[in-house]
Amino acid sequence: MAAFENHAGITVSSSKIQLVEIAFKNGRFYLNNADEAYFDEQVNFESDKGTKVTAQIQGAFNEILIKKKLQSRLVSFALPFDLFSTIQIPYDNTMLPQDIEEELRWEFSILYPFLPAKELAIQFIEVEKNDLTGYNSIIAIATPRKFIHLFLDFCSVNNLKLNFIDNIHTASERALTVNYPQALRGLNLSVYFSSKHLSILFSLDGKPIYFKVIPLNDAGEIPTLLYEETKQRDSFKINRNSINNAFICGDEISETIIRTLENALGIDFIRFNPFDKIDPEPKLFDNKYYVEKNNSFSPAAGVAMRLA
């Protein structure tokens, strides 16, 4: 992509879309829009036909466009955890990239036998041996290609160019590191939760070293799950006292939720603002999403800020 091209990020959930547009004008980046629109009915990406899913997304997208025309042709999507499968496994760091992908495809076929292994789009991060894990590992995230084709078709209909597709947590990480430089130093914990999933990411000096997505029955499980995931164990020598910063994001993260987790874990959480370091258009100071719900826009902001 061009170095200074306008870019829109869209988060898609089962109930709505959220859009963030970042534009470049007069030598600077600025936040051009932050908005959301709900679907007429809940979307089930697995069982609903692609035409129904795209119709719902198109209707919500049109609702946003009517209020403010999009200035960007380039668009990226942050998609819900339901569309992805994640693994972290040890690996031999002498392996070639094509051999790694073949090995990962086999691992996904074993761990997720219901997935079409040959039709998966796989991204992976190599994690070098460190004091906390003690071995080389790979974090791999996969999604069926049918979902990529769905959003390619959506972009084609709207004369847009698809740039990136990411999951909501790793997309949020981009907004986090852009706005909070302390997240690039030491050991940091990042937590994302939605109505159905809890996602945990540890990074060391800005590089991911541990990533896990856990299905939820209900939100009441979250304190116990986080407590277990942040205690030391043989495979991950973590210590809560060694965490430099802990960040949290998701839809509808209240102060009560944050206080409850802080009391349960003895960790202070930062509910971060993904717009903290970017100047907004003046009209956005009256935008409730910019002022009151900015944390929930972290995935859309993250993919909009992504350059590579």
Side-chain angles (χ1 to χ4, degrees):
M1 103 180 224
F4 303 122
E5 191 171 353
N6 294 352
H7 193 189
I10 299 175
T11 301
V12 181
S13 73
S14 61
S15 61
K16 66 181 178 180
I17 67 170
Q18 292 180 308
L19 181 143
V20 168
E21 184 175 25
I22 294 176
F24 185 80
K25 184 170 66 176
N26 299 327
R28 69 178 183 89
F29 289 103
Y30 68 96
L31 181 65
N32 186 49
N33 197 10
D35 202 353
E36 70 179 21
Y38 282 81
F39 303 142
D40 293 332
E41 59 181 280
Q42 290 270 326
V43 165
N44 187 315
F45 290 94
E46 285 294 339
S47 61
D48 289 346
K49 291 183 178 180
T51 50
K52 179 179 179 180
V53 175
T54 53
Q56 292 282 59
I57 296 171
Q58 187 67 59
F61 184 63
N62 291 344
E63 186 177 325
I64 292 175
L65 292 188
I66 287 171
K67 289 185 281 183
K68 187 177 179 64
K69 186 178 179 180
L70 199 67
Q71 294 186 12
S72 309
R73 184 172 172 266
L74 200 63
V75 64
S76 293
F77 290 89
L79 304 181
F81 295 120
D82 312 65
L83 276 59
F84 296 91
S85 299
T86 305
I87 59 174
Q88 183 165 1
I89 57 172
Y91 91 111
D92 178 355
N93 63 355
T94 64
M95 294 175 67
L96 297 173
Q98 60 267 31
D99 295 329
I100 293 174
E101 183 166 336
E102 184 177 338
E103 173 69 15
L104 289 173
R105 204 170 292 281
W106 181 82
E107 292 282 354
F108 276 111
S109 72
I110 299 299
L111 295 172
Y112 302 95
F114 52 87
L115 288 176
K118 293 182 179 179
E119 295 300 318
L120 292 178
I122 300 173
Q123 285 188 319
F124 61 87
I125 302 169
E126 298 177 59
V127 181
E128 294 182 359
K129 179 180 177 180
N130 56 76
D131 293 338
L132 297 176
T133 59
Y135 56 88
N136 297 308
S137 67
I138 279 186
I139 298 170
I141 303 171
T143 187
R145 292 188 184 277
K146 67 178 183 179
F147 296 125
I148 297 175
H149 294 310
L150 186 151
F151 289 97
L152 279 169
D153 291 343
F154 173 83
C155 288
S156 177
V157 168
N158 289 279
N159 194 31
L160 299 169
K161 181 182 177 183
L162 178 60
N163 200 22
F164 303 112
I165 286 180
D166 208 341
N167 81 67
I168 49 179
H169 193 169
T170 50
S172 297
E173 282 297 292
R174 182 60 57 104
L176 171 60
T177 54
V178 166
N179 288 280
Y180 293 81
Q182 66 264 40
L184 298 172
R185 299 187 297 271
L187 178 65
N188 289 277
L189 167 64
S190 173
V191 175
Y192 190 108
F193 68 84
S194 62
S195 59
K196 297 180 181 178
H197 296 86
L198 169 68
S199 179
I200 299 160
L201 190 153
F202 278 99
S203 61
L204 188 62
D205 295 329
K207 297 179 180 179
I209 60 169
Y210 179 84
F211 183 52
K212 187 174 184 180
V213 180
I214 306 171
L216 293 173
N217 293 312
D218 59 69
E221 299 175 305
I222 291 173
T224 301
L225 288 169
L226 275 179
Y227 187 88
E228 291 298 316
E229 288 295 326
T230 56
K231 74 179 184 182
Q232 183 164 323
R233 47 198 184 274
D234 290 341
S235 59
F236 191 36
K237 298 176 177 60
I238 186 67
N239 184 317
R240 292 189 195 94
N241 294 327
S242 65
I243 297 173
N244 296 94
N245 303 283
F247 301 93
I248 189 167
C249 61
D251 210 9
E252 308 297 339
I253 304 292
S254 68
E255 286 297 326
T256 300
I257 290 173
I258 293 174
R259 297 290 87 80
T260 300
L261 294 180
E262 288 179 338
N263 291 334
L265 278 72
I267 297 173
D268 292 331
F269 281 94
I270 299 170
R271 181 175 56 181
F272 69 90
N273 179 357
F275 307 134
D276 191 57
K277 293 292 191 294
I278 186 166
D279 294 330
E281 271 209 345
K283 289 183 179 180
L284 286 173
F285 288 112
D286 297 321
N287 182 319
K288 66 179 180 180
Y289 304 123
Y290 175 78
V291 177
E292 300 171 10
K293 293 187 63 176
N294 49 61
N295 178 263
S296 73
F297 281 78
S298 299
V303 285
M305 293 172 181
R306 184 173 168 178
L307 297 177

